[in-house]
């Protein structure tokens, strides 16, 4: 898989202390994107999923992992493999994507997207819209983006907002 990089300890990409993986490749080309260097699917660096998992496993004091990008759904199968390993470590998994939850469920995202969704605790969905940019949005860049509790949404078969419990 190709990644643009990682951050071992982040406090801004979801609740708690999070390991962040920036996946390489994005087809959404959002105006005002803060990670334009991740758009090119051949950019970044190649890393074996198991090597990334070991990096996460060896990082202490983590509450969770955030898959960002680019768009992790462009490499959904590898991202799902990593997400499952993170769950096996007892870590929560957040995932950012330019796809909407509905597009993923309708099969409009790349192969393996539903599997990645099933291994995601919170999905931050939708393209960044610069005209809807707001610094008031918790863990999001624009007001159209949603924080979705994926487990509850899948079980109830409609989108359920994530609610911070702490």
């Amino acid at each position: 898989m190709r990644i643009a990089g990682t951050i071992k300890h982040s406090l801004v990409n979801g609740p708690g202390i999070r390991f962040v993986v920036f996946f390489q490749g994005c087809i959404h080309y959002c105006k005002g994107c803060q990670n334009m260097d991740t758009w090119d699917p051949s950019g970044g660096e190649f890393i074996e999923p198991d090597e990334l998992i070991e990096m996460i496993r060896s990082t202490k004091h983590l509450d969770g992992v955030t898959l960002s990008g680019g768009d992790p759904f462009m490499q959904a199968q590898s991202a799902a493999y990593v997400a499952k390993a993170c769950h096996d470590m007892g870590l929560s998994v957040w995932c950012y994507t330019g796809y909407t939850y509905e597009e993923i469920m309708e099969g409009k995202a790349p192969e393996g997207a539903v599997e990645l969704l099933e291994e995601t605790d919170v999905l931050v969905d939708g393209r960044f819209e610069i005209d809807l940019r707001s610094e008031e949005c918790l863990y999001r860049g624009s007001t159209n983006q949603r924080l979705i509790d994926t487990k509850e949404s899948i079980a109830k078969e409609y989108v359920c907002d994530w609610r911070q419990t702490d």
Side-chain angles (χ1 to χ4, degrees):
M1 60 191 239
R2 298 197 72 79
I3 64 170
T6 63
I7 299 174
K8 285 190 172 188
H9 295 105
S10 172
L11 297 171
V12 298
N13 293 282
I17 301 170
R18 308 191 70 78
F19 190 104
V20 182
V21 181
F22 294 96
F23 280 77
Q24 191 69 37
C26 186
I27 62 166
H28 305 295
Y29 311 118
C30 301
K31 182 180 176 184
C33 174
Q34 67 179 3
N35 296 331
M36 290 173 55
D37 57 326
T38 66
W39 290 0
D40 179 0
S42 62
E45 64 179 292
F46 180 83
I47 187 170
E48 291 290 343
D50 288 326
E51 183 181 348
L52 178 61
I53 291 165
E54 190 49 44
M55 285 174 58
I56 295 167
R57 187 182 324 279
S58 67
T59 303
K60 298 191 182 319
H61 312 297
L62 292 177
D63 297 304
V65 173
T66 298
L67 309 179
S68 190
D71 193 324
F73 281 86
M74 300 306 300
Q75 300 181 65
Q77 292 173 320
S78 295
Y81 179 80
V82 170
K84 181 179 183 329
C86 292
H87 278 142
D88 291 346
M89 288 181 244
L91 300 170
S92 72
V93 176
W94 279 45
C95 190
Y96 284 77
T97 183
Y99 292 100
T100 63
Y101 178 89
E102 293 83 3
E103 288 172 329
I104 294 166
M105 295 305 284
E106 292 167 5
K108 295 179 181 174
E111 185 177 341
V114 172
E115 290 80 4
L116 175 54
L117 189 65
E118 290 171 344
E119 289 295 338
T120 299
D121 297 302
V122 175
L123 181 73
V124 184
D125 81 333
R127 293 153 185 80
F128 171 73
E129 299 285 341
I130 196 159
D131 294 338
L132 300 175
R133 181 180 180 183
S134 172
E135 293 185 18
E136 301 300 315
C137 294
L138 182 65
Y139 305 124
R140 306 167 282 157
S142 56
T143 57
N144 62 299
Q145 295 173 309
R146 301 176 292 182
L147 298 173
I148 298 172
D149 181 325
T150 56
K151 305 293 186 218
E152 187 176 358
S153 297
I154 291 169
K156 292 185 176 179
E157 297 183 354
Y158 61 85
V159 173
C160 300
D161 292 337
W162 172 77
R163 295 170 299 283
Q164 189 166 10
T165 56
D166 296 336

